[in-house]
Amino acid sequence: MILVKLKGLIVMSKKTIRDIDLKGKKVLVRCDFNVPIDKKTGEITDDRRIVEALPTIKYLLDQKCKVILCSHLGRPKGEANPEYSLAPVAKRISELLGQEVPMSKDVIGENAQEMSSDLKEGQVMLLENVRFHREETDNDPEFAKKLADMAEIYVNDAFGTAHRAHASTAGVAEYLPAVSGFLIEKELKFLGDSLDNPKRPYVAILGGAKVSDKISVIESLLEKVDTLIIGGAMSYTFLKAQGYEVGDSLCEPDKCNLALELIKKAKEKGVNLILPIDNVVGKDNEVDENGKLMSEYKTVPATQMPEGWKGFDIGEKTMELLKHELKSAKTVIWNGPLGMFEIDEFAKGTNTIAEALGKIEATTIIGGGDSAAAIEKAGLADKMTHISTGGGASLEFLEGKKLPGIECLMDKEKCCSREDDDGDR
């Protein structure tokens, strides 16, 4: 059972694959196989999301289920596009499971229906990219029903798309008994505990480009954390709001008043709000064919950013300040890199803080998206307690929003016995 508390109230109590009789059943599993694929070689460059789905798939196979996997990949905009085919995913799952996982040529067409009908106990198949149909993102009821007609039970294990009300993430739950897989259960446990029952001191690190993207998250976290660290490009809006020059840095002048309100709220709540005290600035961020920065860069005090320069990372003094703050932390949640980590010259701040997190005795939760990519690039994934597979979903969860892909699942209280599993919710 999934049991998550938010602001002291139980808002989610959902059934998982442990809570229903699955033996020999045909199961449709929504996974998040939206993995990066090298366009030149066709090879998957990071298979973490596939690996994270394996516990659920293996459990279903142990229950002698007939397993139909489905997922999206990229944004094909409702049209069949070979560039976004899930064929490389089928190949990788086959390798990881040690058994063939064939892929259908379509999603709800004749080939998919024939393959699903022919499935034997202990076999797995993968449907082609569900976003080859515009009806997927439109949450079209007829499309959802055709998906559901191929199975007897629906399992959602795609946390990365749980904040989307699409046909394969929420729509199919109207037609089948719906429960979560182990990945969603794990995601909600770590994120839920960080909101409702964190060990203290509790530190949140927010980076990324825009304040406007994270207003609700900041407001939510100010109710819970002891320290809030703000870095990345969004910090320049906070600095400008206090009257400091930010050069040509990415900034949202129209959000300066909001930034001042958030600073005021932090003081009222007794939250230690930390902004950069120095920054690494550059004339530009263009790189050569080897990925090397082509323009000069230097470190300056955050209050003295020169005209014509742009901020791209936190400086050494800020790194030391943050490392000192993190030493005593017992819970840390991090969403958004602290600089333009894709460029080596501007990756030091993000990497240094990632290394610091790997050395402290605390629950460390990385909120997916660019944060997860930065941790992976730094080779520090195994040092973190939990890396979320959903950037947008984790943000919306931290904001306190309801996630359609979770809300649609069966409630434990309403459907408590295996004999009652008739799909009613």
Side-chain angles (χ1 to χ4, degrees):
M1 178 181 70
I2 298 172
L3 187 64
V4 178
K5 293 183 179 180
L6 187 59
K7 296 181 180 177
L9 300 173
I10 297 175
V11 295
M12 294 181 189
S13 182
K14 302 293 183 178
K15 298 190 79 176
T16 74
I17 51 178
R18 291 191 192 89
D19 299 314
I20 62 173
D21 183 7
L22 293 162
K23 287 186 173 61
K25 298 288 179 65
K26 191 173 289 185
V27 183
L28 176 68
V29 187
R30 180 43 157 108
C31 301
D32 182 8
F33 295 148
N34 187 29
V35 294
I37 296 176
D38 188 307
K39 291 183 179 180
K40 293 181 179 178
T41 64
E43 295 294 318
I44 294 169
T45 57
D46 181 359
D47 66 357
R48 186 169 62 88
R49 287 183 172 180
I50 300 174
V51 172
E52 291 277 13
L54 294 179
T56 291
I57 297 170
K58 289 179 178 178
Y59 180 87
L60 295 174
L61 292 177
D62 287 343
Q63 299 294 311
K64 306 299 182 186
C65 293
K66 307 160 191 174
V67 183
I68 305 167
L69 306 176
C70 70
S71 176
H72 77 285
L73 176 66
R75 296 180 178 178
K77 299 180 180 178
E79 297 179 359
N81 184 337
E83 183 181 339
Y84 298 104
S85 173
L86 283 169
V89 174
K91 178 184 175 185
R92 186 62 183 137
I93 298 173
S94 299
E95 294 168 351
L96 291 168
L97 285 178
Q99 69 180 74
E100 184 185 4
V101 178
M103 188 188 76
S104 61
K105 297 175 183 176
D106 48 36
V107 181
I108 56 170
E110 185 177 338
N111 182 247
Q113 292 182 35
E114 285 181 1
M115 286 180 65
S116 63
S117 295
D118 293 341
L119 270 182
K120 304 291 190 297
E121 291 183 0
Q123 291 185 336
V124 188
M125 65 172 283
L126 174 66
L127 299 178
E128 182 55 285
N129 191 339
V130 289
R131 288 192 186 172
F132 281 0
H133 292 258
R134 194 172 298 279
E135 294 91 339
E136 159 67 2
T137 53
D138 289 344
N139 195 10
D140 180 77
E142 188 174 334
F143 180 76
K145 189 173 189 312
K146 286 181 179 178
L147 276 175
D149 284 345
M150 288 189 273
E152 299 167 273
I153 291 169
Y154 169 65
V155 175
N156 190 2
D157 212 27
F159 183 71
T161 54
H163 59 315
R164 306 295 188 196
H166 292 171
S168 69
T169 63
V172 291
E174 294 294 321
Y175 307 99
L176 292 173
V179 297
S180 89
F182 294 141
L183 176 56
I184 278 185
E185 180 184 43
K186 182 174 75 167
E187 293 274 13
L188 295 182
K189 179 191 183 305
F190 280 106
L191 290 170
D193 284 350
S194 77
L195 287 176
D196 191 69
N197 191 33
K199 293 181 180 178
R200 296 187 180 275
Y202 179 16
V203 179
I205 306 171
L206 291 180
K210 296 181 178 180
V211 176
S212 54
D213 290 341
K214 295 182 177 173
I215 294 169
S216 298
V217 178
I218 294 171
E219 290 178 335
S220 175
L221 290 174
L222 286 176
E223 300 287 340
K224 305 174 185 304
V225 301
D226 301 298
T227 297
L228 177 60
I229 296 166
I230 293 180
M234 62 189 289
S235 66
Y236 306 129
T237 300
F238 280 84
L239 292 170
K240 187 173 182 63
Q242 296 175 87
Y244 301 121
E245 294 298 327
V246 295
D248 290 345
S249 304
L250 184 61
C251 181
E252 295 176 281
D254 61 322
K255 295 294 184 290
C256 284
N257 287 338
L258 173 64
L260 289 175
E261 289 175 14
L262 293 171
I263 291 171
K264 180 182 177 183
K265 184 174 182 179
K267 289 180 180 177
E268 292 171 350
K269 296 288 183 181
V271 175
N272 181 22
L273 177 63
I274 298 177
L275 294 165
I277 56 176
D278 61 346
N279 288 295
V280 178
V281 298
K283 287 282 190 180
D284 211 331
N285 61 338
E286 288 188 25
V287 295
D288 62 21
E289 58 186 15
N290 298 314
K292 283 291 183 183
L293 190 68
M294 295 173 66
S295 62
E296 58 182 314
Y297 64 99
K298 61 184 178 181
T299 302
V300 300
T303 57
Q304 298 174 27
M305 198 174 296
E307 187 177 341
W309 293 69
K310 303 174 185 178
F312 290 113
D313 196 8
I314 57 173
E316 294 277 358
K317 291 181 179 178
T318 303
M319 293 176 213
E320 291 303 313
L321 173 65
L322 301 190
K323 284 162 61 178
H324 177 77
E325 190 68 31
L326 292 169
K327 277 183 181 179
S328 60
K330 293 302 177 186
T331 302
V332 181
I333 188 159
W334 183 4
N335 191 292
L338 300 177
M340 189 169 278
F341 73 96
E342 300 91 342
I343 297 174
D344 289 345
E345 289 84 351
F346 301 140
K348 189 174 181 181
T350 297
N351 292 346
T352 296
I353 299 312
E355 289 168 4
L357 288 184
K359 295 175 181 177
I360 62 175
E361 294 184 10
T363 299
T364 51
I365 302 165
I366 311 302
D370 285 342
S371 314
I375 294 292
E376 294 281 355
K377 186 181 178 188
L380 296 166
D382 61 337
K383 301 290 185 181
M384 304 300 137
T385 308
H386 178 65
I387 298 179
S388 177
T389 54
S394 63
L395 271 178
E396 292 198 14
F397 186 86
L398 292 174
E399 289 175 33
K401 290 183 178 179
K402 293 181 178 181
L403 308 183
I406 308 298
E407 289 293 306
C408 70
L409 305 179
M410 290 190 292
D411 293 319
K412 181 74 172 181
E413 293 81 6
K414 293 181 181 178
C415 193
C416 296
S417 67
R418 293 187 176 188
E419 291 77 10
D420 291 337
D421 284 329
D422 58 1
D424 291 333
R425 279 174 292 286

